[in-house]
Amino acid sequence: VAPKCTLQGGGLQGAVAGNPAVLRITCKDQYSNLATPAPTLKFGLSLQQVEATSDIKEKRRKGQEPAEKLQEQRGRTQKDNEGDEARAQKRKSAMEALLSQSFEGRWVDGEYEIRYVAQNAGAHQLHLWADPEGIGERAAVPGSPYTLHVVENDAAPASSSIGYPVTEEKKNIYAGEKLTLKPQLRDQFGNPSAAPPEALTALLEAPDGSHELSIKPNTGKGVGTYEVSCESNVKGEYTLHVELNGQPIGGSPGVFMV
């Protein structure tokens, strides 16, 4: 029975975006004895991202309450009129409304192994359930929902951007004017991601020759944000190459006129 199942594995607490996270479920009967699962038994999961505190504050400032807060308030007003059974039914209905996420599942040494892939970095709630008869009825397993933290994957050149100014007034700059770009590195799923200092390079091709530029982390602006500046004193065409592990990032090379 679902309430007696036991779960283990790193996939209950954390995951890396794009990498399989693993957990295992041990089936037990109502007396906590190891049980042979019925052929109809199915498992399911859903990942729900938790809103960041800053997003919640912004919604409150605009007069918009998060859905969870509104549900909590409605629950309080009806609390005196609802028994345990009614509240349990509400929780079950909420779980049944969750979108199921695909995963790889298989039986290993009498345990059911689940491998799932998260894509969005941040805090999540991991909902897990059993469907003993395989007819779509969800019964939460012990501990569900689990608090899960997903971290970003390695930065990917194709998902990152050079931060090249695209406004009309910056298509041409004057000699002696300082041009500053703010590259943003992201992983393959668009999550901000940092890189080792030696992995990110910048090269400026100028009328007077090529120059290597220093790229510095833009501290205080979030993960994966950087800054590179160049001061051009000779008129003509300039080309800026920004590469990650030897591969051009999005928008590179950037061309501008002085």
Side-chain angles (χ1 to χ4, degrees):
V1 292
K4 295 295 183 178
C5 291
T6 57
L7 293 86
Q8 61 180 338
L12 295 173
Q13 293 87 31
V16 177
N19 293 352
V22 183
L23 61 94
R24 284 191 176 189
I25 303 175
T26 302
C27 298
K28 295 186 178 182
D29 64 15
Q30 59 182 324
Y31 304 108
S32 298
N33 299 306
L34 290 176
T36 301
T40 56
L41 175 64
K42 294 181 180 180
F43 290 99
L45 68 84
S46 180
L47 272 179
Q48 301 296 312
Q49 190 158 17
V50 179
E51 286 187 291
T53 303
S54 57
D55 294 335
I56 294 175
K57 289 181 178 179
E58 180 65 17
K59 286 187 176 182
R60 286 176 178 170
R61 187 182 68 82
K62 294 181 178 180
Q64 301 173 349
E65 290 288 352
E68 306 89 59
K69 185 67 175 178
L70 293 176
Q71 291 174 356
E72 180 183 346
Q73 290 175 345
R74 285 195 291 266
R76 287 176 181 173
T77 60
Q78 299 175 2
K79 184 176 181 180
D80 295 337
N81 299 323
E82 293 181 348
D84 292 339
E85 183 177 347
R87 286 194 291 272
Q89 183 59 43
K90 285 182 64 176
R91 289 193 296 268
K92 182 179 180 181
S93 298
M95 182 175 62
E96 291 177 347
L98 295 172
L99 291 177
S100 179
Q101 176 167 323
S102 61
F103 62 88
E104 293 183 4
R106 61 173 184 161
W107 291 100
V108 180
D109 299 329
E111 297 178 322
Y112 192 73
E113 181 181 88
I114 289 178
R115 290 176 174 265
Y116 68 90
V117 176
Q119 296 186 359
N120 299 322
H124 292 71
Q125 283 193 326
L126 173 61
H127 296 262
L128 291 159
W129 61 80
D131 180 6
E133 302 300 326
I135 56 176
E137 292 186 359
R138 300 176 178 181
V141 299
S144 180
Y146 287 83
T147 299
L148 180 77
H149 185 66
V150 181
V151 297
E152 68 278 2
N153 211 316
D154 295 335
S159 303
S160 304
S161 58
I162 193 174
Y164 185 72
V166 294
T167 56
E168 288 294 331
E169 63 270 18
K170 281 299 180 183
K171 286 183 177 178
N172 297 299
I173 65 173
Y174 294 101
E177 183 179 355
K178 186 177 182 180
L179 178 67
T180 300
L181 293 85
K182 298 181 179 180
Q184 172 68 63
L185 300 187
R186 299 181 182 276
D187 67 12
Q188 59 179 315
F189 301 108
N191 300 304
S193 178
E198 67 277 4
L200 193 61
T201 60
L203 177 70
L204 180 67
E205 294 181 356
D208 58 350
S210 298
H211 312 275
E212 290 187 4
L213 301 179
S214 174
I215 299 184
K216 300 179 180 179
N218 198 347
T219 56
K221 297 297 183 179
V223 176
T225 58
Y226 295 82
E227 186 172 291
V228 56
S229 300
C230 58
E231 191 171 298
S232 308
N233 298 318
V234 180
K235 71 175 183 178
E237 183 179 275
Y238 287 71
T239 303
L240 178 62
H241 300 267
V242 180
E243 296 184 345
L244 175 63
N245 295 321
Q247 298 295 322
I249 66 174
S252 177
V255 180
F256 60 96
M257 296 296 297
V258 173

